[in-house]
Amino acid sequence: MKTIVLILLSLSAVITKAQPFNVEVSQEGSSPQLLGKINKEALLNAPYKEWFNKNYEEYEPSEAVISKLKTALSEYTITLFLGTWCGDSKREVPKFYKILDEANFPLQRLTTIGVDRERATYKQSPGGEEEGMNIHRVPTFIFYKDGKEANRIVEFPVTTLEQDILNILQGNGYVPSYNAVKIVNDALVEMGTEKFQKKAYKLIPKLEKEAKKASELNTYANVLFFSERQDEAIVVAQLNTSLFPNAAFVFESLANKLYQRDQFSEALKNYEIALKLDPKNEKVDETIKTLRSKV
């Protein structure tokens, strides 16, 4: 029995060590950020309280909508991904907490995860909570009922934050921002990378209607790339060049990924297209000169 107790205590210590709350990390020359699981109390401390308190106090949600949320929210749990470094998170997250407070939503039913801004761990958390969750923009608010995702709000509301929440809970066919990413992510999950690469052209008519900006899929591809899903990142970046053939940066972004994979010939082709579209891009011009010596 003593041995079992010691083992359980050891396991508990490991788990506690692996999943601490309110971890603050700072890199030289940059402001601190909270990573992993955090709570409201952490956001009420400096330096986060400066933007949290201001945006919390200034926001006035609709009383009529809040009244409906008080009943509707009781059947849900919520997971929130944010970046304490992110302007959109600084704007929307305090509003979200105010809505929950006024709707009397118990915060123990809310899990809040801080993700990283650093290039190598871009939009990732130390505990890996974002894995398989398609977190490409922050903040992302995910609503669960009976353990299944009902819907989510991505980065910013379509109408108002509280109305978007109510539309999700009422099942009003709510479609979040960046629906193009959801379409591509769902297709990747369903088909796998190899089949997706062959069939991706079939998605183009639908994506042309859904993708508002070239940056939507570009950011998604970057997130995939830095989370060690490089093959998927490249096929998404290739698809984005078909959707936005006049946007120089999508070809540059694809070329950067190919370059990092030592696919120099393909990288060179895409850098050359990028330079043709944007002849003043000195960085691309220099990279092309370097690559030509490798190919």
Side-chain angles (χ1 to χ4, degrees):
M1 178 64 71
K2 184 177 180 181
T3 303
I4 293 173
V5 170
L6 287 172
I7 291 171
L8 289 173
L9 286 172
S10 298
L11 286 172
S12 176
V14 170
I15 293 169
T16 302
K17 185 177 180 181
Q19 297 180 330
F21 259 75
N22 301 332
V23 172
E24 186 176 74
V25 177
S26 57
Q27 300 283 345
E28 186 176 349
S30 62
S31 58
Q33 58 177 334
L34 294 169
L35 296 181
K37 292 184 178 180
I38 64 178
N39 55 30
K40 185 180 178 182
E41 285 67 33
L43 297 172
L44 295 176
N45 292 325
Y48 318 104
K49 68 178 182 180
E50 294 178 12
W51 51 264
F52 186 90
N53 288 340
K54 179 180 183 296
N55 291 327
Y56 183 99
E57 291 166 6
E58 289 181 355
Y59 191 59
E60 298 182 3
S62 164
E63 293 182 8
V65 175
I66 291 293
S67 178
K68 295 176 182 178
L69 290 179
K70 286 180 179 179
T71 302
L73 265 174
S74 62
E75 299 179 11
Y76 290 79
T77 58
I78 306 168
T79 299
L80 160 60
F81 289 89
L82 81 156
T84 55
W85 43 268
C86 164
D88 294 301
S89 295
K90 291 178 181 181
R91 182 187 65 248
E92 301 297 341
V93 169
K95 297 178 184 179
F96 188 73
Y97 270 98
K98 187 162 189 177
I99 291 165
L100 296 186
D101 288 344
E102 295 199 359
N104 299 324
F105 183 81
L107 292 185
Q108 62 266 31
R109 296 173 66 84
L110 168 69
T111 301
T112 303
I113 310 291
V115 296
D116 206 342
R117 68 183 161 216
E118 298 303 320
R119 184 179 179 87
T121 49
Y122 186 49
K123 291 180 182 170
Q124 298 174 40
S125 62
E129 291 89 353
E130 80 293 340
E131 293 177 9
M133 301 290 286
N134 190 22
I135 305 302
H136 57 96
R137 298 273 177 169
V138 286
T140 292
F141 310 90
I142 308 176
F143 297 82
Y144 294 91
K145 185 175 182 181
D146 300 326
K148 297 180 180 180
E149 180 177 339
N151 213 324
R152 60 178 63 188
I153 299 170
V154 181
E155 194 174 60
F156 55 85
V158 176
T159 54
T160 65
L161 200 50
E162 65 270 21
Q163 185 62 54
D164 278 24
I165 296 170
L166 185 61
N167 289 341
I168 287 173
L169 306 190
Q170 292 181 337
N172 291 340
Y174 177 82
V175 178
S177 306
Y178 306 107
N179 192 45
V181 175
K182 183 181 187 303
I183 292 168
V184 172
N185 185 74
D186 288 349
L188 270 172
V189 171
E190 180 183 347
M191 292 189 268
T193 310
E194 187 175 342
K195 187 176 179 181
F196 178 88
Q197 190 168 24
K198 296 176 181 177
K199 303 284 187 180
Y201 69 93
K202 293 185 177 181
L203 295 174
I204 290 177
K206 189 173 185 179
L207 292 173
E208 285 176 336
K209 298 176 182 178
E210 295 289 342
K212 307 296 187 294
K213 298 179 181 179
S215 58
E216 296 182 31
L217 289 180
N218 188 67
T219 296
Y220 174 56
N222 290 341
V223 171
L224 291 174
F225 196 83
F226 293 117
S227 58
E228 303 303 323
R229 297 169 62 186
Q230 296 182 355
D231 290 340
E232 292 168 277
I234 288 172
V235 298
V236 172
Q238 288 170 335
L239 174 61
N240 207 28
T241 62
S242 297
L243 285 169
F244 296 95
N246 296 316
F249 81 91
V250 300
F251 289 93
E252 182 182 357
S253 183
L254 171 58
N256 289 339
K257 294 173 178 58
L258 293 166
Y259 189 103
Q260 291 181 64
R261 292 283 298 272
D262 295 337
Q263 295 174 242
F264 299 130
S265 295
E266 288 301 310
L268 179 58
K269 291 177 185 177
N270 284 281
Y271 279 129
E272 288 173 338
I273 296 172
L275 188 62
K276 185 177 180 180
L277 292 168
D278 182 13
K280 295 182 180 180
N281 192 323
E282 295 179 1
K283 182 180 177 181
V284 169
D285 190 28
E286 288 301 316
T287 305
I288 287 172
K289 292 174 184 177
T290 301
L291 263 179
R292 283 175 177 161
S293 66
K294 294 177 180 289
V295 175

